[in-house]
Amino acid sequence: VWFRDATVEENIAVFQEQNVQKINARLAFYDSIGSLIHIPMWMRNADLQLSWVNAAYVAAVDGDSVEQVVADSLELVTSSIGKTTRDIAAISRDSQESCSEKHFVVMKGARRAVDIHNIPFQVNGHPAGYLGYAQDITELEKAKGELIHHTESHSETLNKLSTAVAIFTAGKRLEYYNSAFSRLWEIPEGLLFSHPHHGEVLEAMREARRLPEQLADFL
């Protein structure tokens, strides 16, 4: 019969077990937080393989579970030319910088415009993986389209007026002019198109003899 002091080994085992429990609790916490976020999120390992997705991602790709989506490597975006979110992540891998691209995807039966973001992260100073998320910008794109249509309609209306109209920004830069303004003051279209300063417009008027000849500091 012999005896051996196993205190050190027991302490190491207890310490390791406590660390494992802390890590598992932290992973469970982050997984729960990720599932509460209503935008698709995912993580990739250094080889660009999916290692984790949240519940919104599973719903977006019509998956059955997180495990199934990861196992089958279901990608959120597959464009008409075969480009996927994995290909977009490769850009971040090659540059080791964040990148984003706009794509159209079908989520829950509806076509949505999304910004696909990829963010590389490191562990102990070495590339370890990539965090990705898809930001829905459908409503923003619709608003932009409506604004452009609204602006074009106003522009078309103002261009039909015989009255000269010019609109300057708060910084005194020419933002808009109609055809009557160009004809009245005989200013070259090239200058007007370059969004000149108010003083430059007045100087061009003077050079075209549409204003008095005396020198003036219009700027």
Side-chain angles (χ1 to χ4, degrees):
V1 178
W2 67 91
F3 297 93
R4 182 173 63 85
D5 188 349
T7 305
V8 175
E9 288 86 346
E10 286 296 322
N11 288 341
I12 291 175
V14 170
F15 177 76
Q16 290 176 337
E17 178 65 24
Q18 290 175 343
N19 272 347
V20 169
Q21 290 176 358
K22 288 180 181 178
I23 292 172
N24 287 337
R26 190 176 301 170
L27 290 174
F29 172 76
Y30 289 143
D31 189 59
S32 298
I33 294 299
S35 294
L36 292 175
I37 298 175
H38 297 300
I39 64 173
M41 296 180 64
W42 60 93
M43 292 185 68
R44 299 179 185 276
N45 58 27
D47 295 325
L48 302 183
Q49 296 297 321
L50 286 174
S51 58
W52 173 84
V53 297
N54 68 349
Y57 187 103
V58 175
V61 298
D62 295 326
D64 296 326
S65 66
V66 170
E67 293 76 18
Q68 179 259 328
V69 169
V70 172
D72 293 344
S73 298
L74 297 182
E75 296 291 348
L76 182 65
V77 172
T78 302
S79 69
S80 57
I81 59 175
K83 189 173 186 179
T84 68
T85 37
R86 188 178 188 277
D87 299 319
I88 301 170
I91 300 173
S92 283
R93 178 194 59 190
D94 296 339
S95 65
Q96 281 302 301
E97 294 181 353
S98 301
C99 72
S100 63
E101 287 188 11
K102 185 177 76 172
H103 286 271
F104 291 94
V105 300
V106 177
M107 294 191 295
K108 298 180 180 179
R111 187 171 184 265
R112 311 294 294 178
V114 295
D115 265 340
I116 304 295
H117 298 264
N118 284 280
I119 306 169
F121 62 88
Q122 298 183 344
V123 174
N124 297 326
H126 300 285
Y130 307 88
L131 169 67
Y133 66 93
Q135 183 178 11
D136 193 330
I137 57 171
T138 306
E139 299 307 318
L140 177 61
E141 290 296 306
K142 286 182 180 179
K144 285 182 179 179
E146 291 173 0
L147 178 60
I148 291 173
H149 177 72
H150 186 69
T151 302
E152 289 177 346
S153 297
H154 276 282
S155 177
E156 184 178 351
T157 300
L158 291 174
N159 250 334
K160 293 179 179 178
L161 296 177
S162 58
T163 303
V165 177
I167 300 174
F168 290 83
T169 66
K172 297 185 178 180
R173 290 278 176 184
L174 183 64
E175 180 67 21
Y176 172 82
Y177 66 93
N178 65 356
S179 301
F181 181 86
S182 177
R183 291 194 302 270
L184 175 64
W185 299 109
E186 299 181 358
I187 300 175
E189 290 281 347
L191 174 63
L192 295 175
F193 189 73
S194 66
H195 300 286
H197 188 272
H198 181 255
E200 294 178 271
V201 175
L202 294 178
E203 182 63 27
M205 291 178 181
R206 187 185 65 79
E207 291 178 354
R209 297 189 177 184
R210 309 300 289 179
L211 289 179
E213 287 291 328
Q214 64 266 25
L215 293 176
D217 184 8
F218 295 124
L219 300 178

